[in-house]
Amino acid sequence: MNDELHARLKAYEGRPAAVAGTGRDPVNAPMIRHWCEATGDRNPAYTGPGAIAPPTMLQAWIMGGLSGHEGRAQAYDELLSLLDEAGCTSVVATDCEQEYLRPLRPGDEVAFDTVIESVSQRKTTKLGTGYFVTTRTDVRVAEELVGTHRFRILKYAPRTHAPTPTGREEKAQGRQEAPRRPRPVVNRDNAGFWEGVRRHRLLVQRCTGCDTLRFPWLPGCNACGSPEWDTLEADGEGTVFSYVVMHHPPFPAFSPPYAIGLIELAEGVRIISNVVDVPYDKVRIGMPVELEFRSYDDEGGELVLPVFRPRAGEVAA
């Protein structure tokens, strides 16, 4: 990987990644209902006559499913092939940004075009060395632009494919610390939550306008729109509402397979967290669990995270 490769990759900026794509289904009430049930979103705007779709569903209406879309452009395939040939054979999604211009309503039929917006310079990460590729998707109903979705991936050469280290490098690597867990992104909207975690308190936002509890933390109430709120400390009791078992890809500091649960707290909100102290294949929907705060990465407890373990006697044989 060198500057010559970067120049070749940059030449693809502005070229199409998908052209004249269409949503596989019109915006519809069943999908809206399933989304709201999974996220615990009870906003009345998403039900009944005149309902709209949650704005965050923007990508859901244009996803191709397991079979994918047929309209992917040749330029995007060429870009990925160049990266594959350079050894950047692995992909990890890093982040997305969405902009909403008007609500979508049941019956809307969406179409979209995607462009290769940018390719970064070569970057070295803990996963490996590669390039960040950002695509921008413009979503339309008829000729009206209703939203924009930017999606960024890292196309990289895994560290396991790196050249064999010299003896001096091996000694240096031996002095390195064990891989650390990814750090949470702390911002002005969720800083209070992470400060509570640091003090071993699981704090849930409560709207002071209508008393609706919400999680994750948001700058305003999704029920009444009030920006005013206080917090309620959860007692830590809950049940597994849903879960997935992670097998692949392997990631530093994690040892698959392991269970990630969507935990419904006794207070009624849901939180995503690890389910610990139980074999991954013994986790079940409805399993009663309880909160525990665990320190990771060093003896000083630099990283504190809320996790959930089965209540005593709740693990099936």
Side-chain angles (χ1 to χ4, degrees):
M1 290 180 287
N2 51 42
D3 290 340
E4 180 183 352
L5 174 60
H6 182 239
R8 295 174 67 189
L9 298 173
K10 290 283 285 185
Y12 284 88
E13 290 183 348
R15 297 180 64 180
V19 178
T22 57
R24 302 188 70 173
D25 299 283
V27 178
N28 62 85
M31 286 179 64
I32 294 172
R33 184 179 70 253
H34 295 324
W35 179 282
C36 291
E37 288 177 352
T39 60
D41 194 336
R42 299 180 177 85
N43 191 322
Y46 307 144
T47 61
I52 62 173
T56 50
M57 287 188 75
L58 182 66
Q59 188 188 15
W61 308 115
I62 62 174
M63 295 179 74
L66 294 178
S67 59
H69 283 294
E70 297 179 356
R72 197 159 84 172
Q74 181 178 350
Y76 193 60
D77 287 334
E78 291 177 359
L79 173 66
L80 297 183
S81 295
L82 275 177
L83 289 165
D84 286 341
E85 292 168 5
C88 299
T89 55
S90 296
V91 177
V92 63
T94 62
D95 63 277
C96 69
E97 301 172 9
Q98 294 184 338
E99 181 180 0
Y100 316 116
L101 301 181
R102 79 134 165 101
L104 290 170
R105 298 178 176 84
D108 282 341
E109 296 187 357
V110 299
F112 63 93
D113 296 289
T114 303
V115 65
I116 302 167
E117 188 168 68
S118 65
V119 182
S120 76
Q121 295 183 338
R122 183 176 59 181
K123 303 291 185 180
T124 299
T125 73
K126 288 187 176 181
L127 289 175
T129 299
Y131 297 84
F132 289 92
V133 179
T134 303
T135 54
R136 186 193 76 244
T137 300
D138 292 329
V139 183
R140 293 180 171 83
V141 174
E143 298 300 319
E144 180 185 8
L145 182 66
V146 297
T148 298
H149 176 87
R150 282 181 173 85
F151 192 69
R152 186 172 295 110
I153 64 171
L154 172 64
K155 195 82 162 65
Y156 66 97
R159 292 175 66 90
T160 54
H161 294 171
T164 301
T166 65
R168 180 179 296 178
E169 289 171 337
E170 286 179 339
K171 290 181 180 179
Q173 291 175 3
R175 292 194 298 269
Q176 292 178 354
E177 298 179 357
R180 302 198 316 164
R181 286 196 171 213
R183 267 42 191 171
V185 177
V186 180
N187 55 41
R188 63 182 182 181
D189 292 329
N190 65 16
F193 169 76
W194 288 109
E195 174 60 22
V197 169
R198 190 184 67 81
R199 293 183 285 116
H200 290 202
R201 301 178 66 202
L202 186 61
L203 300 178
V204 177
Q205 278 184 312
R206 177 174 54 194
C207 174
T208 55
C210 66
D211 290 332
T212 297
L213 300 180
R214 63 179 185 264
F215 193 89
W217 281 35
L218 296 170
C221 180
N222 57 6
C224 73
S226 172
E228 304 300 327
W229 54 272
D230 59 12
T231 60
L232 171 74
E233 183 174 359
D235 67 10
E237 299 291 320
T239 57
V240 176
F241 184 83
S242 182
Y243 70 96
V244 296
V245 175
M246 295 296 297
H247 293 271
H248 187 81
F251 194 84
F254 293 86
S255 299
Y258 54 92
I260 300 175
L262 178 62
I263 309 301
E264 185 164 76
L265 300 176
E267 290 75 15
V269 297
R270 298 171 189 157
I271 179 174
I272 296 174
S273 182
N274 287 112
V275 183
V276 301
D277 294 347
V278 56
Y280 70 91
D281 57 352
K282 298 297 183 183
V283 178
R284 295 290 182 269
I285 292 175
M287 173 186 290
V289 291
E290 59 188 9
L291 173 67
E292 177 183 328
F293 291 96
R294 289 195 176 179
S295 299
Y296 291 91
D297 296 341
D298 63 20
E299 294 180 358
E302 179 184 352
L303 177 66
V304 178
L305 294 175
V307 297
F308 289 83
R309 65 188 180 207
R311 289 184 218 160
E314 296 296 344
V315 179

